[in-house]
């Protein structure tokens, strides 16, 4: 199953890269940013074989680009310094101005998020969170901020957003 998913992802990526980077004759390696969700070593172990396959199939060499933190990588992406990106949270309303568009997605159901409370909490439903402090991992986290905030907004539940001390809350849209 995983092997099939990797092959399918690589084939789609090869086609997309060939279409969007046709000037491969110069053999310039195109930068491909992968969001930090694993260690650099594990990410390279997973992605480099895909990039090798894609490069051979499309004639377009790809080079894995990573940073120490997701925030650092996003800042570089916001400057437009990557040719391609694989990320699950870069497409937010304030980043629409950058002009990126999705050209490939993994097949299957979309990712989901959870809102979790302690087992003995009196909070039993989203509405019980109204007016309460709700902690999020980062305003950049798709599954850890955008999806649960969307659920809260759709349910018309206003909460006090709590983020790590180094981050400022983003107003919900």
């Amino acid at each position: 199953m995983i092997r099939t998913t990797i092959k399918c992802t690589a084939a789609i990526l090869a086609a997309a890269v060939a279409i969007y980077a046709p000037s491969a004759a110069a053999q310039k390696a195109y930068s491909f940013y992968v969001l930090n969700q694993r260690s650099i070593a594990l990410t390279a172990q997973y992605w480099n074989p895909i990039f090798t396959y894609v490069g051979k199939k499309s004639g377009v060499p790809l080079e894995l680009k990573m940073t120490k933190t997701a925030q650092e990588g996003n800042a570089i992406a916001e400057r437009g310094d990557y040719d391609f990106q694989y990320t699950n949270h870069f497409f937010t309303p304030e980043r629409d101005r950058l002009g990126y568009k999705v050209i490939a997605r993994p097949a299957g159901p979309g990712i989901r998020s959870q809102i979790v409370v302690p087992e003995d909490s009196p909070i039993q439903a989203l509405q019980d969170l109204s007016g309460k402090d709700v902690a999020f991992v980062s305003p950049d986290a798709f599954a850890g901020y955008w999806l649960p905030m969307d659920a809260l907004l759709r349910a018309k539940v206003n909460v006090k957003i709590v983020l790590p001390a180094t981050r400022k809350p983003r107003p919900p849209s």
Side-chain angles (χ1 to χ4, degrees):
M1 175 74 172
I2 291 175
R3 222 172 192 14
T4 304
T5 302
I6 290 173
K7 283 184 181 179
C8 183
T9 301
I12 291 169
L13 191 55
V17 166
I19 291 167
Y20 284 91
S23 60
Q27 290 302 305
K28 170 195 180 275
Y30 285 86
S31 60
F32 200 112
Y33 169 60
V34 175
L35 176 68
N36 298 50
Q37 292 184 319
R38 297 177 171 169
S39 72
I40 291 175
L42 281 175
T43 302
Q45 183 180 4
Y46 180 83
W47 281 98
N48 281 333
I50 294 172
F51 292 157
T52 299
Y53 176 84
V54 168
K56 286 179 183 173
K57 284 288 196 184
S58 69
V60 178
L62 297 173
E63 182 178 16
L64 176 64
K65 293 291 183 181
M66 291 191 69
T67 56
K68 291 181 183 177
T69 68
Q71 290 79 14
E72 181 183 337
N74 288 339
I76 293 168
E78 287 177 3
R79 290 195 313 256
D81 291 351
Y82 298 123
D83 297 306
F84 297 94
Q85 301 183 53
Y86 181 83
T87 176
N88 67 356
H89 73 264
F90 197 76
F91 301 96
T92 58
E94 57 276 338
R95 290 181 175 136
D96 284 347
R97 66 178 165 69
L98 300 172
Y100 286 101
K101 68 179 181 177
V102 176
I103 61 171
R105 289 192 167 92
I111 64 172
R112 299 188 308 183
S113 184
Q114 297 178 336
I115 296 176
V116 180
V117 298
E119 190 174 347
D120 60 351
S121 173
I123 297 170
Q124 299 295 312
L126 286 181
Q127 288 71 23
D128 297 340
L129 291 170
S130 186
K132 303 261 191 295
D133 288 353
V134 176
F136 298 92
V137 66
S138 164
D140 290 323
F142 186 72
Y145 178 78
W146 289 99
L147 288 177
M149 274 306 300
D150 180 65
L152 290 163
L153 291 171
R154 287 175 190 266
K156 298 184 182 351
V157 175
N158 293 315
V159 298
K160 296 176 189 165
I161 299 170
V162 177
L163 294 166
T166 59
R167 307 293 293 180
K168 292 181 181 176
R170 194 179 279 177
S173 51

